[in-house]
Amino acid sequence: MNPTHSQVLDYLESYARHFGILSCISLNSRVIGIDYVGESFDEMESWDLWSGTGKPFGSKGKWHIKVQDTKNSEIKDYEAEFVILCIGQFSGLPNIPEFPEEEGPEVFNGKVMHSMDFSASSNLDTCKFVQGKKVAVIGSHNSAVDIAAECANINGSKYPCTMIQRNAHWFLPSGYFNGLLLGFLYMNRFAEFLVHKPGETFLYTLLTTLLSPLRWGISKAMECYIRWKFPLKKHGMLPKFNFSDDISSCQISMLPDKFFDKLEEGSIIIINNTQSFRFYQKGLIIDGQNQQYLETDLVIFATGFKGEEKVKNIFSSPVFQDRIMANSPILLYRQILHPRIPQMALVGYNENISALGSSKMKSLWLANFLDGNIELPCIRKMEKEAKMWETHIKKTSGNYCKRGCIGNTSIWYNDILCKDMGYNSKRKNGFLANLFIPYTTTDYANLITE
């Protein structure tokens, strides 16, 4: 069963207290820029090894970091030999569509906000803010359905929440059984035999090709199960692509409790919009076969974030900005190190089925690297490996490749990290258990003690 947001927060706070790291955390602070000072860019271009030596602290350069106090706007300068960016993709820089003049939020008499701002408010503030208002949510994924369900809980069918979606996604019913079902069908080693993986051998490629009909069959079985559980077609929530595609692009999730009950009672209304929409004084004009005028008081954009731009903007140097934005998704060796940016790592940027579990594995790999236990190949080989993963992500994630999802090869990826660190990648006892039992974060919990 998935933990609630409060349980996750409690876990993080208790972890920080237990290991005594609260004193090392500077709250109410915002990093407004980082700049590498040391070797010239021409010299860095000539390097054969990462950072010039292949070591985490090998070069003579340092990072200069500007940090702003969010309470008094005071700016302080810090210096560090190594920087780890843990800013992720899904915060900070909201993705809001652009509108032609006189068709955007400026002509609307109501309020417009992004899901980031909505989720930052407390439960009590949210209730007061939404109560008695007609709300329109733009989006079709986690944030959109969560916000729509929350508004429906507050207002009921008297003031229904309208969800405007361009592409419907597959959602699993909430509950332990469905999480278990997903695990046994998609989160074990046998399931990963059914998908092509970056760097796989010829025998793996042949096996995956031969087993591809089984993957197709599993996908169709899951689709039939979900269509049996939910009246998707009736409410315009039937996706146009298969279930496995959503898994491969990290788009799969679980619906809030009783979501379809809210659709049936009319407290949530779904409008499918494959073309465009615009604002007018009283709400939204939704273009399509039949143009619709939707009167509303509040419009919430659940349209995601500009993750790559957020990472780019943190660099003061245009050269590093260009290197970050040269590829999409961002080109990273082991999904951690940029081959052409010295003494810096990214943790938590790529998306996976378990964000906490994935970040823990990357942090452990990085700790081993900082301790001198991992040797890097030359920059050319680092770029080759990173490019191989980029090609894989683009092939499996399609239009959602910017998210950098590696969810359908997470065990394969963890095996690579374990091999780098000298750990046994087979985390279960017995051949059949290793092949068919789902792999979870608990399987890697004791790595550091081995």
Side-chain angles (χ1 to χ4, degrees):
M1 193 146 180
N2 290 332
T4 65
H5 65 280
S6 298
Q7 289 171 327
V8 173
L9 179 60
D10 289 343
Y11 166 75
L12 293 174
E13 289 178 342
S14 64
Y15 185 98
R17 287 194 300 270
H18 177 78
F19 290 100
I21 60 175
L22 285 173
S23 60
C24 302
I25 300 173
S26 178
L27 299 175
N28 303 307
S29 302
R30 184 169 68 93
V31 177
I32 58 176
I34 61 174
D35 193 24
Y36 181 78
V37 179
E39 298 87 351
S40 68
F41 290 114
D42 288 338
E43 185 179 349
M44 283 189 271
E45 279 296 315
S46 68
W47 287 343
D48 182 55
L49 296 175
W50 187 80
S51 283
T53 63
K55 305 296 182 183
F57 307 104
S59 76
K60 61 186 178 184
K62 294 185 185 297
W63 286 97
H64 291 196
I65 306 160
K66 287 188 178 297
V67 180
Q68 184 179 50
D69 190 307
T70 57
K71 289 185 174 180
N72 58 26
S73 298
E74 180 185 353
I75 296 176
K76 291 184 180 179
D77 294 315
Y78 295 86
E79 193 176 271
E81 292 183 73
F82 200 98
V83 168
I84 305 171
L85 298 182
C86 304
I87 56 179
Q89 293 192 61
F90 306 110
S91 65
L93 191 60
N95 178 38
I96 297 178
E98 295 182 0
F99 296 88
E101 192 175 351
E102 299 300 320
E103 293 183 4
E106 71 278 0
V107 303
F108 177 45
N109 291 334
K111 185 170 179 59
V112 179
M113 65 192 309
H114 190 268
S115 58
M116 175 181 72
D117 302 308
F118 182 84
S119 61
S121 59
S122 66
N123 291 336
L124 184 59
D125 290 339
T126 298
C127 185
K128 290 180 179 178
F129 187 64
V130 169
Q131 197 165 31
K133 293 180 181 177
K134 291 174 284 187
V135 181
V137 179
I138 314 296
S140 58
H141 211 247
N142 287 12
S143 296
V145 296
D146 286 345
I147 292 171
E150 190 168 357
C151 293
N153 286 335
I154 295 169
N155 287 328
S157 57
K158 184 177 181 180
Y159 296 99
C161 177
T162 302
M163 199 173 106
I164 301 170
Q165 63 176 15
R166 178 166 292 179
N167 296 305
H169 289 280
W170 293 101
F171 285 92
L172 279 173
S174 60
Y176 177 77
F177 170 76
N178 297 294
L180 201 63
L181 184 66
L182 188 69
F184 274 97
L185 293 180
Y186 284 96
M187 296 167 63
N188 55 32
R189 290 188 179 275
F190 181 76
E192 289 198 4
F193 282 144
L194 311 184
V195 297
H196 291 290
K197 298 165 285 294
E200 66 186 7
T201 63
F202 172 77
L203 289 178
Y204 267 114
T205 301
L206 180 61
L207 179 63
T208 300
T209 303
L210 292 174
L211 291 174
S212 58
L214 178 57
R215 179 173 173 81
W216 178 88
I218 291 173
S219 180
K220 291 303 172 186
M222 286 298 296
E223 292 169 24
C224 290
Y225 167 70
I226 296 171
R227 293 178 69 171
W228 171 69
K229 290 286 291 185
F230 295 142
L232 300 178
K233 192 172 183 179
K234 176 182 177 182
H235 295 288
M237 291 190 69
L238 184 63
K240 296 178 181 178
F241 36 80
N242 65 53
F243 184 85
S244 291
D245 285 347
D246 257 7
I247 286 283
S248 297
S249 54
C250 293
Q251 296 292 300
I252 202 68
S253 188
M254 292 191 178
L255 277 176
D257 289 337
K258 299 181 180 179
F259 185 83
F260 276 89
D261 290 345
K262 295 176 175 61
L263 285 170
E264 293 287 348
E265 71 185 21
S267 56
I268 297 177
I269 298 170
I270 291 180
I271 295 178
N272 285 292
N273 172 39
T274 57
Q275 295 186 28
S276 62
F277 64 91
R278 48 206 159 95
F279 287 86
Y280 78 112
Q281 285 185 334
K282 294 183 179 181
L284 298 170
I285 301 174
I286 302 168
D287 297 317
Q289 291 182 343
N290 298 310
Q291 194 176 79
Q292 293 178 258
Y293 285 77
L294 177 65
E295 291 190 13
T296 185
D297 303 305
L298 172 64
V299 176
I300 303 172
F301 283 100
T303 46
F305 297 84
K306 298 178 180 179
E308 289 174 319
E309 281 192 39
K310 184 177 70 169
V311 176
K312 168 198 160 188
N313 293 342
I314 205 168
F315 292 95
S316 301
S317 164
V319 175
F320 284 157
Q321 289 181 352
D322 290 343
R323 289 178 183 178
I324 282 290
M325 297 299 285
N327 298 80
S328 182
I330 295 174
L331 204 66
L332 297 173
Y333 174 74
R334 296 295 195 253
Q335 310 306 314
I336 300 170
L337 302 178
H338 192 288
R340 296 285 177 179
I341 301 181
Q343 294 171 219
M344 188 210 74
L346 281 83
V347 173
Y349 178 80
N350 290 84
E351 194 174 5
N352 210 325
I353 300 300
S354 169
L356 287 176
S358 176
S359 294
K360 178 204 168 176
M361 288 297 293
K362 291 175 183 176
S363 299
L364 188 57
W365 185 95
L366 186 56
N368 273 267
F369 173 62
L370 294 175
D371 281 342
N373 300 327
I374 294 175
E375 185 174 340
L376 298 180
C378 66
I379 289 176
R380 181 177 53 82
K381 289 184 177 180
M382 290 175 70
E383 288 180 326
K384 183 179 178 181
E385 192 258 9
K387 190 70 178 176
M388 179 178 64
W389 275 90
E390 179 203 32
T391 302
H392 166 75
I393 291 169
K394 284 183 175 180
K395 186 175 180 180
T396 57
S397 300
N399 294 333
Y400 299 97
C401 66
K402 286 186 177 182
R403 301 168 72 104
C405 175
I406 57 173
N408 66 344
T409 52
S410 59
I411 302 174
W412 178 265
Y413 171 70
N414 285 340
D415 285 353
I416 293 172
L417 298 189
C418 285
K419 183 179 178 181
D420 286 348
M421 295 183 285
Y423 297 133
N424 181 11
S425 60
K426 303 296 189 295
R427 308 305 303 167
K428 298 182 183 295
N429 296 321
F431 174 79
L432 291 178
N434 260 300
L435 194 59
F436 294 108
I437 301 298
Y439 264 64
T440 66
T441 54
T442 56
D443 292 305
Y444 302 94
N446 298 321
L447 276 179
I448 201 168
T449 60
E450 293 183 4

